[in-house]
Amino acid sequence: MSMMKNLTKGFFKENPVLVLALGLCPSLAVTTSIENGIGMGLAATAVLVGSSAIVSLLKKFIPGSVRIPIFIVIIATFVTMIDLTLQAFIPALSKSLGLFIPLIVVNCIILGRAEAYASKNSVFDSIIDAIGMGIGFTIALVLISSVREFTGTGSLLGYPLFQLMGIEGFKGSIMMILPPGGFLTMGLILAFMQWNRLRKKAKEGGR
Amino acid sequence: MGNIFKLSAILFLVGGIAAGMLAFYNSFTKPEIEKLKAQNESEARQYVMRGLFQKESLGGLIYDEDEIEIGGKTEKFWKVREKESDQYYKAFVFLSKGQGFSGVVETMVGTDASFKINTIKVLKHTETPGLGAESQTVKYGESEPFFETWFKGKNSLKVVVEKDDSASPDKVQSITGATITTRAVCKSINKYAEAVKAKLDKPPVIYVDPENIISVEETLKKAQADSVKAAEESAQTGTEGNDGGAK
Amino acid sequence: MDFSHLVVIAVSSIFINNFVLGRFLGICPFVGVSKKLDSAVGMGMAVIFVMTLASIVTYTIQKFILDPYDIQYLQTIAFILVIASLVQFIEMFMKKNMPSLYSALGIFLPLITTNCAVLGVAILNIDSTWADGTKYNFIESAWNGFTGGVGFTVALVLMAGIRERLELADIPESMKGLPIAFVTSALIAMAFLGFSGMSIM
């Protein structure tokens, strides 16, 4: 597989959240604003790249029967490092992501990639794969959070679009920021993905 | 059997290396985190003192640390002087904590010497995004969170949510859909201000009420008279009613 | 020991801040294992069991190892390892001594390691404070783990009941499977929002 293909497959074709339905907890919990979505996406990407690189580097030395605990230790080490870094240098983000930073450890995307890809491929390929998957995760988070922030507060990245255009009165529905909005947005986005898939399939079948 | 030892040795080694790396990394970030904490605290103190003092003297204010007892725990607060030679404290800063909707809400409160709120700053909360979390939201085009501006000029001892007492001059609106958060902030401010006042009303009293300036000697005399009276009363009833007096 | 604290914890983690519907913890098993009512009940029981034990063990580790030696930065790594080995241990113990229970819950146990509700409740137990600044004590932590598991089970069973019916419903092709599951959970979550008006302080 070419490098470019390896990188971009995570963006849409095998998007971890939207297609593979992995890592659902953070993609619902922290997507109340775009800023949080981007922050979470980048933090998870950093952990993913670091742990994939180390796992693939050590793949010859890790005995098969204890590989899962070792993967977990490696991932947890990176998560703690990211956690400490955020606390020290970006405290605002650390505060708003809160509990969900340590919970990156149990994000299925990361363990899944370590098990399914990094433990079988070269270091370089694993890093490219991890970057691709991380960006895919970030894209999904940004997509969900922009829908929720816009419908929930009527603003994007903190800018109230409607007020700026001179339309007063659109305040957004708080429901979309609250938990139900997360489920609803996720459901509708997944439905769209499925619809798209079915449509493509029908086209191919018709030919 | 040998396999078990080999596997556990490997696991142990990996765990040890991971812990060592984290300890190493922690030694870098820990001082940063503490520095940031201290810096945040001093910045928040300066923030809630804005407007009460001249802009130039804000950076050089003297914060004398003191302690209050709240629910069996000691908490600190600060008495503020402008310069070393000042005899009286002109303002107080305290950190009030109250149970909000889904966790503790921490608010830094700056008051003048008559316990009128200058500014508050919500420091920490775990409230719902879109509802209670609005307490920290700065609306577009405004310079400070709208929630904090509601508290300006209210009496910290009496500030109350509009829904609870609409006749009070010290009422504040509640955040839409988050009355519990607003009420938590009000109640915690009341509680902590009460405790600070109780502590300061004990001799020797050195703060000044801007509307009713009392000198140190006068307050001392008053406090002495009070304690004598309290002692007489307790002697009359025959109980050891010495709980610090001020309520 | 304040009994009212236990009531507050129970109501809060089952209804107001339900682990799944209010805190978004444990979404993966929530949508993954909610197709059949039987398996949902089994998974729920396994989660209650593991969450209670995990709360007890992680609280003990925090209080007697991490706090005294000032190595809180090892929290994440210590907790996840403890939970993983705890789950493994329970699985082996059940297989050997309680084969009937194992055949009912066994297949769900490995899934629980990566259930973020378990690690989530362990960290929440340590981080949560009461209004007066005191932390959860041992009993409160264990109780939080137990009621958190009950909250998870309630959500899971509700969901499974609805999804069993949905199998028979005529829904658009593109909504079938996960999308309709999420829309349904949105409606359940909306209903649970009603509890947030409860004032228990």
Side-chain angles (χ1 to χ4, degrees):
Chain A
M1 204 190 312
S2 76
M3 197 194 105
M4 219 39 211
K5 232 178 174 177
N6 191 10
L7 179 70
T8 52
K9 72 170 188 289
F11 292 4
F12 293 105
K13 226 174 106 217
E14 289 183 30
N15 188 297
V17 179
L18 303 178
V19 179
L20 307 176
L22 296 173
L24 294 173
C25 300
S27 42
L28 292 175
V30 301
T31 49
T32 50
S33 72
I34 298 179
E35 266 172 62
N36 285 355
I38 295 176
M40 184 72 205
L42 295 184
T45 307
V47 174
L48 191 54
V49 172
S51 58
S52 284
I54 299 287
V55 164
S56 132
L57 201 64
L58 298 177
K59 61 178 179 287
K60 289 213 178 73
F61 306 101
I62 300 175
S65 47
V66 287
R67 64 180 196 289
I68 299 289
I70 291 182
F71 292 167
I72 291 180
V73 171
I74 293 170
I75 295 169
T77 312
F78 277 102
V79 169
T80 313
M81 281 182 175
I82 294 291
D83 191 5
L84 293 173
T85 313
L86 287 182
Q87 273 179 40
F89 301 107
I90 323 178
L93 187 63
S94 160
K95 219 191 272 171
S96 58
L97 297 182
L99 179 64
F100 284 89
I101 297 174
L103 287 185
I104 296 176
V105 178
V106 282
N107 191 324
C108 335
I109 299 172
I110 295 167
L111 191 61
R113 276 347 262 178
E115 165 85 3
Y117 198 92
S119 61
K120 296 188 186 93
N121 288 285
S122 73
V123 179
F124 183 72
D125 281 348
S126 308
I127 291 178
I128 296 293
D129 173 74
I131 294 176
M133 281 293 161
I135 293 178
F137 183 55
T138 315
I139 289 176
L141 289 190
V142 170
L143 183 65
I144 301 168
S145 58
S146 40
V147 171
R148 285 182 75 187
E149 191 182 331
F150 184 67
T151 49
T153 62
S155 56
L156 277 178
L157 275 169
Y159 293 98
L161 290 186
F162 281 92
Q163 274 172 30
L164 289 182
M165 285 189 297
I167 305 169
E168 298 285 331
F170 182 79
K171 290 260 166 29
S173 150
I174 289 175
M175 187 63 87
M176 294 303 287
I177 296 283
L178 294 174
F183 285 114
L184 192 63
T185 313
M186 190 75 190
L188 294 181
I189 290 178
L190 286 179
F192 176 76
M193 299 294 285
Q194 199 154 314
W195 172 76
N196 200 23
R197 215 160 35 233
L198 289 171
R199 196 185 52 134
K200 268 189 191 152
K201 218 187 218 168
K203 239 186 200 170
E204 275 164 18
R207 239 178 243 160
Chain B
M1 218 39 204
N3 203 21
I4 288 184
F5 286 118
K6 195 183 146 205
L7 289 183
S8 19
I10 290 177
L11 268 181
F12 198 72
L13 191 73
V14 171
I17 293 173
M21 274 172 62
L22 285 181
F24 180 69
Y25 197 71
N26 184 55
S27 66
F28 282 108
T29 50
K30 201 173 183 187
E32 286 292 327
I33 295 171
E34 296 223 314
K35 211 168 79 189
L36 203 79
K37 232 186 213 165
Q39 193 191 337
N40 278 349
E41 196 176 83
S42 78
E43 265 173 19
R45 280 195 316 230
Q46 241 180 68
Y47 180 91
V48 295
M49 284 291 104
R50 283 177 324 168
L52 211 55
F53 294 94
Q54 303 254 301
K55 221 178 185 171
E56 306 82 59
S57 60
L58 261 182
L61 292 177
I62 302 163
Y63 296 92
D64 291 329
E65 204 173 303
D66 203 343
E67 283 171 347
I68 41 173
E69 288 259 332
I70 291 262
K73 295 194 87 182
T74 39
E75 304 267 358
K76 52 185 183 177
F77 73 99
W78 296 272
K79 301 175 285 193
V80 189
R81 286 182 291 170
E82 206 164 354
K83 46 188 183 295
E84 205 60 60
S85 58
D86 277 358
Q87 292 279 328
Y88 307 108
Y89 292 111
K90 290 187 174 157
F92 306 110
V93 177
F94 52 91
L95 193 60
S96 66
K97 296 173 193 161
Q99 179 73 35
F101 177 62
S102 59
V104 177
V105 184
E106 258 185 55
T107 320
M108 183 76 95
V109 185
T111 70
D112 68 8
S114 63
F115 290 96
K116 202 171 82 180
I117 296 175
N118 180 46
T119 312
I120 67 164
K121 186 172 175 61
V122 179
L123 293 183
K124 239 198 236 167
H125 69 81
T126 49
E127 305 295 280
T128 323
L131 299 176
E134 290 290 296
S135 57
Q136 276 183 323
T137 306
V138 184
K139 277 191 183 157
Y140 180 77
E142 291 173 10
S143 60
E144 46 195 295
F146 62 91
F147 180 66
E148 290 168 12
T149 57
W150 293 346
F151 282 84
K152 286 189 173 171
K154 310 284 183 197
N155 184 339
S156 61
L157 298 160
K158 290 183 189 144
V159 65
V160 66
V161 184
E162 194 173 13
K163 275 188 194 166
D164 293 345
D165 183 3
S166 56
S168 166
D170 294 306
K171 67 184 180 199
V172 287
Q173 279 169 267
S174 50
I175 303 173
T176 319
T179 314
I180 296 178
T181 311
T182 320
R183 192 178 287 141
V185 172
C186 289
K187 290 222 166 121
S188 70
I189 292 178
N190 296 158
K191 194 167 114 191
Y192 278 74
E194 198 77 54
V196 170
K197 190 169 190 303
K199 168 96 184 188
L200 294 170
D201 279 343
K202 274 191 216 165
V205 181
I206 34 172
Y207 70 92
V208 59
D209 190 336
E211 282 149 30
N212 177 23
I213 296 177
I214 320 161
S215 74
V216 179
E217 295 93 274
E218 263 181 83
T219 18
L220 268 178
K221 258 186 234 157
K222 187 170 161 282
Q224 261 168 5
D226 280 354
S227 64
V228 168
K229 215 165 106 190
E232 278 168 1
E233 272 170 18
S234 69
Q236 274 171 9
T237 50
T239 53
E240 289 185 36
N242 192 7
D243 60 349
K247 170 70 204 160
Chain C
M1 190 60 242
D2 200 342
F3 183 72
S4 69
H5 277 179
L6 296 186
V7 178
V8 169
I9 288 177
V11 175
S12 167
S13 52
I14 297 177
F15 297 112
I16 303 177
N17 279 317
N18 184 290
F19 269 68
V20 179
L21 302 167
R23 287 194 209 267
F24 293 121
L25 294 170
I27 302 287
C28 293
F30 175 67
V31 292
V33 201
S34 58
K35 284 197 188 108
K36 285 263 176 319
L37 196 55
D38 299 343
S39 50
V41 174
M43 180 71 179
M45 292 304 143
V47 168
I48 293 180
F49 189 57
V50 173
M51 272 173 83
T52 315
L53 274 184
S55 296
I56 292 173
V57 176
T58 52
Y59 183 86
T60 319
I61 286 185
Q62 178 81 20
K63 273 276 129 31
F64 294 102
I65 299 177
L66 299 184
D67 280 349
Y69 296 103
D70 208 21
I71 45 173
Q72 283 91 345
Y73 57 88
L74 289 180
Q75 193 193 51
T76 316
I77 205 166
F79 281 13
I80 186 68
L81 278 182
V82 163
I83 291 168
S85 31
L86 185 74
V87 172
Q88 197 75 41
F89 184 75
I90 295 171
E91 198 184 346
M92 289 193 290
F93 182 80
M94 266 193 188
K95 209 172 185 175
K96 193 133 192 261
N97 298 316
M98 299 180 255
S100 59
L101 194 61
Y102 179 76
S103 62
L105 303 184
I107 46 164
F108 304 111
L109 283 170
L111 287 174
I112 291 177
T113 314
T114 49
N115 181 345
C116 42
V118 181
L119 184 60
V121 80
I123 298 173
L124 277 175
N125 283 337
I126 309 298
D127 285 353
S128 304
T129 46
W130 297 105
D132 56 5
T134 53
K135 302 265 181 189
Y136 281 11
N137 63 24
F138 180 77
I139 296 172
E140 284 163 357
S141 295
W143 182 243
N144 194 24
F146 178 77
T147 51
V150 172
F152 177 83
T153 311
V154 166
L156 193 63
V157 168
L158 278 177
M159 187 68 187
I162 297 174
R163 276 183 88 175
E164 276 195 348
R165 292 293 180 101
L166 275 179
E167 287 292 304
L168 308 171
D170 181 26
I171 44 176
E173 198 62 35
S174 49
M175 289 295 281
K176 272 188 183 153
L178 278 187
I180 194 72
F182 273 107
V183 174
T184 313
S185 13
L187 295 175
I188 305 179
M190 242 178 249
F192 267 69
L193 266 191
F195 289 114
S196 64
M198 263 158 107
S199 176
I200 45 172
M201 290 306 151

